[in-house]
Amino acid sequence: MDSTNNYSVYTLICSIRQKYPWMINFLNSVVIYPYRRIMAEYYYNKTPNQIYSFFHEGIRVSLFLPFRKDLIEQTIIVKKTFFEASELNIVRQFIPENTVYVDIGANIGNHLVFFGLFTSSKKIYGFEPNSEIFPILVENVKLNNLEQKTILKQVAIGSEKSKGNLVESSDKTHIAYTNKSVCVCESGNIDILPLDLVVEEKIGLMKIDVEGMELDVIKGSMNRISSDKPIIFIESDKIEKVIELLNPTNYYIEKSLANYNYLLLPK
């Protein structure tokens, strides 16, 4: 099946999700999620090192998945591929050659590893402030031999230089066990930096998944966004506000994807 047909099927599935959310929620809660938990538990019982491997486009991918209650990690195990693989493949079609990729909210590295292995990205920046997750991100970069072109920083990206703490995400749409948001707090132990102060190279792709902090991320990245016009792959449940904030840079929604994911392009 070619990419056009793949996207047609994907669009159909997304439309069903939008028209019949109650049905999807029912299937998820009664069938899909329990099945994934059972299958993941079976995997963990026979794989003590918690390193899961699968082949994608002929390349072996290995991921350290230690959070057995995390539905993202369960999904990777059951589907034997990347989490949100359909979305990643769609976004990949728009990425320029030999670009700099910035992953804001890298989590365990699912998206970072995909774009690192299956695009021609020449350099990768990964930002993840959660001290519980950051070592796992580091390990997954090493497992897939991406250290030479990847820079990882245990910081949060925000609107200005400040401090913060991790709090439970207020966004109940997420299914990740490890998802937490950053709250600005002068006495916090997490460094918050605007992207404009961290990355100097021209950026070709920005992925933003920051549990409700996306507007702050964009505010602190406006110089890079204005000058570089990167592709923006963003998760947000307030996409109208995101587009309004990006109005001066003439971004629009190229594709509306599942799980509040959007592909934004400059006009």
Side-chain angles (χ1 to χ4, degrees), residues 199-213:
V199 179
E200 296 181 352
E201 297 101 323
K202 181 178 180 180
I203 299 169
L205 170 66
M206 286 178 66
K207 175 229 138 185
I208 305 173
D209 184 355
V210 289
E211 312 310 318
M213 202 177 172

Side-chain angles (χ1 to χ4, degrees), residues 165-176:
N165 284 321
L166 286 174
V167 297
E168 293 296 327
S169 176
S170 60
D171 187 346
K172 303 305 181 184
T173 63
H174 292 293
I175 59 175

Side-chain angles (χ1 to χ4, degrees), residues 22-197:
W22 60 268
M23 182 176 67
I24 299 302
N25 291 336
F26 176 79
L27 288 174
N28 282 339
S29 61
V30 176
V31 180
I32 297 175
Y33 293 170
Y35 171 73
R36 290 179 186 176
R37 285 193 291 269
I38 291 170
M39 295 304 295
E41 197 63 33
Y42 172 76
Y43 159 77
Y44 283 119
N45 287 337
K46 69 174 190 175
T47 313
N49 69 1
Q50 299 171 331
I51 295 176
Y52 183 74
S53 297
F54 58 89
F55 283 90
H56 186 84
E57 297 180 5
I59 296 177
R60 184 182 177 88
V61 179
S62 296
L63 295 172
F64 178 42
L65 305 176
F67 297 114
R68 61 203 304 156
K69 293 183 180 179
D70 183 82
L71 196 52
I72 289 177
E73 298 187 17
Q74 292 172 1
T75 302
I76 293 170
I77 292 168
V78 172
K79 289 192 170 183
K80 302 179 182 179
T81 189
F82 291 96
F83 180 71
E84 296 184 338
S86 297
E87 288 88 342
L88 295 174
N89 279 313
I90 290 168
V91 173
R92 177 174 60 167
Q93 300 172 31
F94 294 84
I95 301 174
E97 296 288 321
N98 300 312
T99 194
V100 173
Y101 164 47
V102 173
D103 191 325
I104 303 171
N107 203 286
I108 64 169
N110 177 84
H111 290 37
L112 187 151
V113 170
F114 176 88
F115 289 125
L117 291 177
F118 299 101
T119 72
S120 62
S121 55
K122 63 181 179 181
K123 192 170 186 179
I124 301 168
Y125 285 87
F127 301 99
E128 176 51 58
N130 191 327
S131 60
E132 186 179 13
I133 297 175
F134 189 78
I136 300 166
L137 172 63
V138 172
E139 180 65 18
N140 285 331
V141 167
K142 289 180 180 178
L143 283 171
N144 294 281
N145 300 312
L146 294 171
E147 309 103 296
Q148 295 301 314
K149 64 175 182 178
T150 303
I151 296 173
L152 300 177
K153 294 183 181 292
Q154 192 179 326
V155 301
I157 301 298
S159 59
E160 58 185 10
K161 189 175 181 180
S162 56
K163 289 282 189 176
N165 284 321
L166 286 174
V167 297
E168 293 296 327
S169 176
S170 60
D171 187 346
K172 303 305 181 184
T173 63
H174 292 293
I175 59 175
Y177 177 69
T178 53
N179 277 349
K180 294 182 179 180
S181 58
V182 176
C183 176
V184 176
C185 174
E186 291 183 2
S187 60
N189 57 6
I190 293 172
D191 289 324
I192 302 175
L193 299 170
L195 187 68
D196 290 340
L197 293 183

Side-chain angles (χ1 to χ4, degrees), residues 198-252:
V198 183
V199 179
E200 296 181 352
E201 297 101 323
K202 181 178 180 180
I203 299 169
L205 170 66
M206 286 178 66
K207 175 229 138 185
I208 305 173
D209 184 355
V210 289
E211 312 310 318
M213 202 177 172
E214 55 269 26
L215 296 179
D216 287 329
V217 168
I218 292 171
K219 289 174 184 176
S221 308
M222 285 304 290
N223 288 338
R224 290 259 61 90
I225 292 172
S226 298
S227 63
D228 302 349
K229 298 294 191 298
I231 293 165
I232 299 178
F233 179 29
I234 186 170
E235 181 189 85
S236 178
D237 62 353
K238 41 182 173 283
I239 193 63
E240 295 83 4
K241 292 182 179 179
V242 170
I243 293 299
E244 182 180 351
L245 186 58
L246 287 170
N247 269 342
T249 56
N250 293 316
Y251 271 79
Y252 69 98

